[in-house]
Every structure is written in C-alpha cells, then in structure tokens.
Amino acid sequence: MSHPEEIATCVVTVTYGERVPLLARVLRAAFQCGARYAVVVDNGTPATSKKALVDLQNELGREAMEIIALPRNEGSAGGFHAGLRRVAQLRDMRFVWVLDDDNLPEENALSVLMDRWTQLGAHETDAMMCFRKEKRAYRKVLVRKTLHWVEPDAFFDFNLAHLWNGGKRRAHIEKGCIELGVAAYGGLWFARAWLDRIALPPERFHLYFDDYAFSRQIPEHGGRIWLCPDSRLNDIDISWQVNRDEIHPWLEPTTEERRIFCTIRNRLWLERPVVRSRSLHMVNMALYLGVKVIGANLGAMARRFRSAPVFVRRFRLIGRAIRAGLS
C-alpha cells in the first residue's frame, strides 16, 4: 500500500467571500490525510477574509501553505487557473489534489486514493477521483455503472439516440474503481506532470464546467480518470442545486441568474466540440427543455403562480444563454 508520506501531494483550492472557516476545516483535514503543501487562491475576498487567511497560514505554517491573492473574484475558472499555474512550478510536488473550499476529506481519503492508484499499476497517466455523495452525477455512476463523460450530441447527458443505440456506454471497472470521462475539481488527484501537457482551466468559462473542460483533457491525451468510491469527501456547504427534486434549479426564484446563464452557456461550449449531428443535438436540447425543465415542473410552477413573472424572465434568460453558448 502507498502512504501519503511517500508521495508528495500539493492541495490546490480557491476561496471567496467569507468562507475561510470552511476552508480551514478542509485544509486541516487534508494535512491530516497526508498532504504536504497547499496553494490557496484568494479569489478577491474582503479584508476580513484576507486577515483570516493570513491567520490560517500562520497556524498551518508558511512552509506548508501559500496564498495567491487575486484582485477580484475571477470565478472558479480564473481561480483554479491561477492556482494550477502556480502548482505547475512546484517541481518538488509529484501530485496535485484539487479541493473546493467546502470539500472535507475523510481521514483516509488520500491514502485510499494512493492505494487504489498503486493497485491499478501506479501509472502517472492515471488520475484518481474521490467520491462525494452530495454529487448527483457520481451517485448515478455508482448505481448505473455507466460512463460519466461529455457524450457526443447529448445535451446535459440527455440523448434521444439512447432509444436505438443501446443506451449510455458502460464504464470500465477495475480494482473497485469506475472510469470517468470527466471529473469535477473537488477530489481530483493527478500527477503534477499533467500540467506540463494539458491546458489550464479556460478562464472565459468563469463559472461551471471549466473543471470538465480541464479534466477531459486527461483521457483525450491517453490517460484515465478513476472514481474511487472508498475515498470520500463530504460537502460542508449546501449547493444551489440541492432542491432540484422540488423544482428545477433554473426555475427556482432564489437562484442567482448568473449561475443559470453560465451553467447553460458553458455546457454548450463544452458540448460543441463533440457534436457530430447538429440536428440531433438541437432535438436533444429541445426535448430536455420541454420534458425536464418545463414538463416536469408544471405543477411546481402552478403552485407558485405568484412567481409567474420570474418564470417568464427565467425562460428568456435560458434563451439568451443558449444563444451565447451556440455563438
């Protein structure tokens, strides 16, 4: 079995707003897991958080944590772009462990990743991914054993072609790990050498799917990403998409419009390079919107009839985001 002390691992994370208390819990746990160093991107935090970050750096040790301060919030794309660019320069770090500032690792999260990586052959082309039970896509992977990737012609994984092509591709499973085609930032562990071969996260994405745009380069360049169910992270903050069973998050009146716009636009940016049939892609988009966004939420919208003006604005916003994503 490999142990954390045998493989120098650097954590890279991004924080913003007043989230340093969450970050502090995450970093303490990461170091207890065996991480050697941490690069923390201060994504335009207020003065109180800047002071809290310095206090945290003093607690953990300046030899263990460095802060990269951005003058304004550049979103996850800009933040992780800056953090990973810095990690690429740390030649004494062999591996990178990407964590969101609210991904709390369980005690053995890192050692389990390393153990499974060793069992898979200890190839630096293999990247590992922690399991987050709060992440719906990973729960589906465990149940269905299908490949989580950016499927050609699908829109948000919805593909009419599954009616005649046998459905989603089965995922390769080895040593208890399930292969992924893309991965989120939170929990991704990979060799630092990958940063010499692939592009950093695309800053123009600002928010959402920049992690998929970054991580999918690993299989595109001959590597593999493995989801490790036994290496667990717990999200200690609530996602804006958590109540999707009640109403689709794009229609939830309290959801920030920028989040919806970036989610839809960026997903289309992600999908466009793998579209083989533009007509099928457009049909899938129309069906997704008609069935999953409108049809499945008619009852919820009717119960919230006083929010009708909000729903009208949301549909207009969705239209703008689609046009931006296709342009």
Side-chain angles (χ1 to χ4, degrees), residues 24 27-28 31 38 55-65:
L27 288 185
R28 289 177 191 129
F31 281 116
D55 291 342
L56 180 61
Q57 185 183 40
N58 289 334
E59 172 196 331
L60 298 175
R62 291 180 177 268
E63 73 286 351
M65 170 184 164

Side-chain angles (χ1 to χ4, degrees), residues 2 19 41 44 76 82-83 117 127 184 190 198 213 215 221 229 238 241 263 274 305 313:
S2 293
R19 296 168 61 87
V41 177
S76 63
W117 176 76
F190 60 93
I198 61 178
S215 63
H221 286 73
I238 298 174
Q241 303 193 59
T263 296
V274 296
F305 67 93
R313 289 199 302 272

